[in-house]
Amino acid sequence: MRIGVIGTGRIGTIHANTLSRHRDVGSLILTDADTSRAQELAHRLGETAAPGVDEIFRWGVDAVVITTATSAHAELIGRAARSGLPVFCEKPIALDLPGTLLAIGEVETAGTILQMGFQRRFDAGYAGAREAVRSGRLGRLHTVRALTSDQAPPPAAWLPVSGGLYRDTLIHDFDVLRWVTGREVVDVYAAGSDAGPAMFREAGDVDTAAVLLTLDDGTLATATATRLNGAGYDVRMELAGELDQIVVGLDDRTPIASTEPTGPPAADKPWGGFLERFGPAYEAELNAFVEVVRGERANPCDGREALQALRISEACELSRHERRPVALGELPGGTQAAAL
């Protein structure tokens, strides 16, 4: 199997490393807007660098992995679909719903594969939570609390093109909330604060956000995020039911300290970022993509799944700006996904 990797930044490098050593992948063709970066990575891995995207398609590949800036995702997904190629793409498909729906339409018209990069679905902790909920171990689920806290903010130049805290960060919490519980979000009420560094206000973004979400069975969920969690990178999900309560992301590296005399000590080596925390999950999702391309398993996260997570993010932005609850039915693209 020959795979084209478009984009060789941080996550593209990780994916290229995973694919380069995969037993079912014969070779890679790498390209990037920064041609020297692609050439350097190709040399290090013993793979081939292409001068541009056109060569990826012209030289012939069996599948494409897209890890470019978000603004290029939808066009590249469409181009791959028209070429009959399976695609793995980092989230999101696009930064708006019309662009997302257009790209999904191209994939569905072509009858090709689009697997989206929501790596938390491949994390052992979240998989365990899903099993606990689905098995009935918790009884009736009544409360879910999710959080994502970055230790340090991204570069100021990234903020205007990131899509904002809801689309860039909390979208992962929204996706995994649906995946773990098997339920749909029916409405949201969101708030955000830009009281931190001025670069967030200048970008029209917030550095901290909180959302109250109601699921279609009445379960209440909260999701919070911040770019300024100096203690370390913190990603957790607590699920409380009538019979039991569990937590994802609580281990000896969780950056939180107890004030109780008998509480656990603070982590000696807290998580520093998402690439470290979710390293095994990133590898697992690429291994799954190879299996999907080979016809050995069903697509674990298609475009319609990604669409629903983006719809929740869009509803949060609307709620924050208009200071009101927003029903998901107000947004287009509401056909529910079937892979939950």
Side-chain angles (χ1 to χ4, degrees), residues 81-325:
R82 295 188 296 274
S83 300
L85 294 172
V87 174
F88 175 92
C89 184
E90 281 300 322
K91 63 81 190 167
I93 294 174
L95 288 177
D96 58 32
L97 289 172
T100 299
L101 290 165
L102 182 62
I104 291 173
E106 292 215 63
V107 171
E108 293 178 347
T109 297
T112 53
I113 294 166
L114 170 60
Q115 180 182 327
M116 295 302 299
F118 283 102
Q119 85 284 353
R120 294 188 195 183
R121 293 179 177 224
F122 297 87
D123 177 73
Y126 284 105
R130 175 183 165 102
E131 173 58 28
V133 171
R134 306 304 179 90
S135 69
R137 170 184 159 188
L138 306 186
R140 183 186 68 85
L141 187 67
H142 53 74
T143 308
V144 182
R145 307 175 190 93
L147 67 88
T148 297
S149 299
D150 292 330
Q151 184 175 28
W158 166 248
L159 294 177
V161 299
S162 70
L165 192 57
Y166 300 105
R167 299 185 192 95
D168 181 49
T169 299
L170 277 168
I171 193 169
H172 283 286
D173 296 273
F174 301 151
D175 175 72
V176 84
L177 173 65
R178 296 179 61 251
W179 187 75
V180 166
T181 65
R183 313 306 308 191
E184 295 293 342
V185 174
V186 295
D187 61 50
V188 305
Y189 189 86
S193 170
D194 62 4
M199 65 182 184
F200 292 99
R201 292 185 292 280
E202 292 165 359
D205 197 4
V206 294
D207 57 71
T208 303
V211 187
L212 172 65
L213 310 98
T214 305
L215 308 189
D216 58 10
D217 64 347
T219 299
L220 295 179
T222 60
T224 63
T226 184
R227 303 282 198 185
L228 303 164
N229 196 59
Y233 181 70
D234 192 6
V235 171
R236 279 177 282 138
M237 173 182 273
E238 300 174 8
L239 300 106
E242 293 182 345
L243 300 180
D244 203 357
Q245 181 172 236
I246 57 175
V247 59
V248 179
L250 183 61
D251 59 23
D252 60 0
R253 298 191 64 182
T254 304
I256 191 167
S258 174
T259 61
E260 299 297 332
T262 58
D268 290 332
K269 188 182 178 182
W271 296 109
F274 64 93
L275 296 177
E276 182 185 26
R277 164 65 177 84
F278 289 110
Y282 280 118
E283 183 167 348
E285 69 178 356
L286 264 292
N287 290 338
F289 178 60
V290 173
E291 293 175 357
V292 170
V293 174
R294 288 170 57 86
E296 297 170 352
R297 67 175 293 174
N299 190 344
C301 187
D302 64 16
R304 291 283 169 183
E305 292 284 299
L307 170 63
Q308 299 312 317
L310 180 62
R311 292 179 71 245
I312 299 169
S313 301
E314 291 286 320
C316 288
E317 282 288 4
L318 183 60
S319 175
R320 178 175 75 89
H321 283 291
E322 298 190 358
R323 296 180 176 270
R324 67 175 178 89

Side-chain angles (χ1 to χ4, degrees), residues 3-7 15 19 63-68 86-89 286 289:
I3 296 180
V5 179
I6 306 174
H15 290 341
L19 294 169
V64 174
V65 171
I66 300 171
T67 58
T68 62
V87 174
F88 175 92
C89 184
L286 264 292
F289 178 60

